[in-house]
Amino acid sequence: FPYTTLFRSYGFYEIGFCEDPLVGPWLEWVEREHPEYAEAALSQVWPRDYFTEEDRKAWQAAYDEHMQPRTSPPFNENNYVSPLPSELHPTHWITDQAIDFIDRAESSPFFTFVSYVGPHWPHDPPAPYHESFSPDDLPLPIPREWEWDDIPQIYKDKMRPLPSHAETTLKPKGDYTIEDWQMQRAMYLGSTRFIDDEIGRLLAHLRETDRERDTVVIFTTDHGEVLGDHWLDGKGTQHYDKSIRTPLIIRDPRRGSAAEEVNRLTSSLDLFPTFCELAGVDCSDITLSGRSVLGSTDQSKPAHRELLIVTEDRNPARCLRTLVTEDGWRLTIFPGEDYGEMFHLLDDPTEQRNVYRDEAYADTRAALMHRLVEQLNEYINDGYTQ
C-alpha cells in the first residue's frame, strides 16, 4: 500500500494503514474474510483520483445499494448508521490490529501507535452505538457572536445557520435545522463512545496478558470539533476553543495510582520529548520546539507561556495563525482580512465576546500581536516557510 513507504520514513517497522478514505488493508480484509459485507464496506470508502472507471462504477453501485437508503431523514450523508456490524467497522479492526501487534511483540520495549479514524465526518456509529445518545437531550449549539457582513469568506463558505438566525439573507451550506444539528451531535458522541469501548478493550488486553504494569499509555488527538457552535462545522479554518483544545492523558504505572491534573499549556510538539523522557532517552542534543510535559529537570525548556497554532492550506486565505496564552487569551489573525478574533477564554469560555476591535483592549491586542509575530518567526526559523 503506497502510504506504508511514507510511514516507514518516520521509523515504523510495521504499518497497518487505515485512514479517512478507507482504501487499503481494512477494505481488503473485509473482502477477503467477510465477502458477504464486501459491497457494504466498499460503499464506505472515499472515491480517489486513482480509481479506474470500473472502480468508480463498482463504488457507485455499492453506494446506491447500501448507503443511499441510510441518508434519508432523520439521517443524512454526514450522519448515518454504519451498514457494517461493529466487529467489521474500521474502529474495531484498528483495535484488533493493535492487539495482534502487541501479542507478537515478544521483545521489549516496543512502541505502538494506535490511530483511530473516528470520530470523523461522516459520523457513522454502528448499531447499537447510534442510539447511545438522544438528540433531544443534548445541549443546543452555542450561537454565533459575529455579524454576517463582518466575517471572513472562509466562514461564509461553511455556514449552516440555525432557524433562529433567519434574519440574514445567507444561503446556508445545506438546509440544516435544529434537529439536524442535534442528530449530528448524537451521532458524533455515539462514535466517540464506540471508540471509548474499543480503547477499553485494548487496555483490558494489556491487563489480561500481564503487560499493564510495564506499559505507558498516552491518549491524545489532533483536533476537536465545533459541531454547530458559532454556526460552524468541523475543524481547521476556525480556531474556536472546541476545535483546538485536545485531550492529553498519560498513564504511567511506575508513577503510582494517584491521579494528577496539570493545568498548563501543552502541544503535540511536546509528545516526542515526553516519549524520550518516559523511555529514559536523552534528547537534549536535538533541537526541539516541544518540551516534556512530565516536569523534566531540563530547566532550559520551561512550561509554555503561549502556543502558536497554525492551519496550513493550499489556499493562503485559509492559513489561520493563532496565539493561545497561559493567562487565557486567544488571538487569531486571518490572512488578507480586517476581521480578527480575540477572546479571553477564562472569563468568556463560550467565546461570545470578541474584543479584537475593542479600543479598551488595544494595548492587550498589540502585546499579543507582538508575541504572535515572535512565535511565527520561530516557526519559520524551524523550517516551516508557508
Side-chain angles (χ1 to χ4, degrees), residues 12-129:
F12 290 97
Y13 294 103
E14 182 174 326
I15 301 99
F17 188 82
C18 187
E19 197 36 276
D20 297 345
L22 298 178
V23 181
W26 167 77
L27 179 62
E28 294 165 2
W29 171 77
V30 175
E31 291 173 338
R32 182 177 64 253
E33 302 294 334
H34 302 276
E36 69 277 18
Y37 284 100
E39 284 192 3
L42 179 61
S43 74
Q44 300 295 281
V45 310
W46 298 3
R48 312 312 292 166
D49 293 340
Y50 52 77
F51 274 26
T52 65
E53 183 177 352
E54 184 178 348
D55 290 336
R56 289 187 176 276
K57 286 182 179 179
W59 171 82
Q60 190 65 61
Y63 184 89
D64 292 345
E65 173 71 20
H66 297 276
M67 278 301 305
Q68 199 65 50
R70 294 174 176 271
T71 60
S72 57
F75 305 108
N76 55 47
E77 64 181 9
N78 299 319
N79 313 284
Y80 53 82
V81 185
S82 174
L84 299 167
S86 61
E87 62 270 19
L88 301 187
H89 193 279
T91 295
H92 189 92
W93 181 84
I94 290 168
T95 308
D96 281 347
Q97 296 300 300
I99 289 174
D100 177 67
F101 175 80
I102 291 170
D103 285 346
R104 290 185 289 103
E106 296 179 357
S107 62
S108 258
F110 64 86
F111 178 82
T112 308
F113 175 51
V114 186
S115 179
Y116 291 99
V117 178
H120 191 284
W121 176 93
H123 308 303
D124 65 333
Y129 289 96

Side-chain angles (χ1 to χ4, degrees), residues 75-286:
F75 305 108
N76 55 47
E77 64 181 9
N78 299 319
N79 313 284
Y80 53 82
V81 185
S82 174
L84 299 167
S86 61
E87 62 270 19
L88 301 187
H89 193 279
T91 295
H92 189 92
W93 181 84
I94 290 168
T95 308
D96 281 347
Q97 296 300 300
I99 289 174
D100 177 67
F101 175 80
I102 291 170
D103 285 346
R104 290 185 289 103
E106 296 179 357
S107 62
S108 258
F110 64 86
F111 178 82
T112 308
F113 175 51
V114 186
S115 179
Y116 291 99
V117 178
H120 191 284
W121 176 93
H123 308 303
D124 65 333
Y129 289 96
H130 71 292
E131 296 179 328
S132 296
F133 298 87
S134 170
D136 295 336
D137 295 337
L138 299 176
L140 296 176
I142 297 169
R144 61 89 171 101
E145 77 289 347
W146 35 256
E147 296 300 326
W148 169 248
D149 293 334
D150 191 39
I151 58 172
Q153 187 61 43
I154 57 173
Y155 277 12
K156 296 178 182 180
D157 291 342
K158 302 181 74 168
M159 293 302 98
R160 294 188 188 276
L162 302 175
S164 59
H165 302 139
E167 70 273 14
T168 71
T169 57
L170 170 65
K171 283 187 176 181
K173 181 184 176 184
D175 298 321
Y176 258 44
T177 65
I178 289 286
E179 290 74 21
D180 290 328
W181 273 122
Q182 297 306 83
M183 178 58 74
Q184 176 155 328
R185 288 171 164 233
M187 298 296 278
Y188 175 88
L189 292 173
S191 295
T192 303
R193 175 164 286 179
F194 183 27
I195 292 173
D196 285 346
D197 285 351
E198 288 298 307
I199 293 173
R201 188 163 69 92
L202 180 57
L203 297 179
H205 187 75
L206 289 174
R207 183 167 57 253
E208 292 161 2
T209 55
D210 202 28
R211 292 179 180 267
E212 181 181 46
R213 290 175 295 178
D214 59 359
T215 302
V216 176
V217 179
I218 298 180
F219 176 84
T220 189
T221 187
D222 55 344
H223 60 80
E225 193 92 359
V226 291
L227 291 172
D229 288 352
H230 314 279
W231 278 18
L232 296 169
D233 193 10
K235 47 150 183 168
T237 50
Q238 65 269 338
H239 284 179
Y240 285 96
D241 191 61
K242 191 178 285 186
S243 180
I244 62 175
R245 181 184 292 271
T246 58
L248 178 58
I249 303 171
I250 301 176
R251 189 186 76 177
D252 184 350
R254 299 168 300 181
R255 291 175 175 252
S257 59
E260 178 186 4
E261 181 175 338
V262 179
N263 187 23
R264 63 173 182 259
L265 295 175
T266 59
S267 163
S268 57
L269 295 174
D270 299 331
L271 292 175
F272 178 78
T274 301
F275 292 152
C276 288
E277 182 172 348
L278 286 165
V281 175
D282 182 10
C283 62
S284 59
D285 59 339
I286 305 174

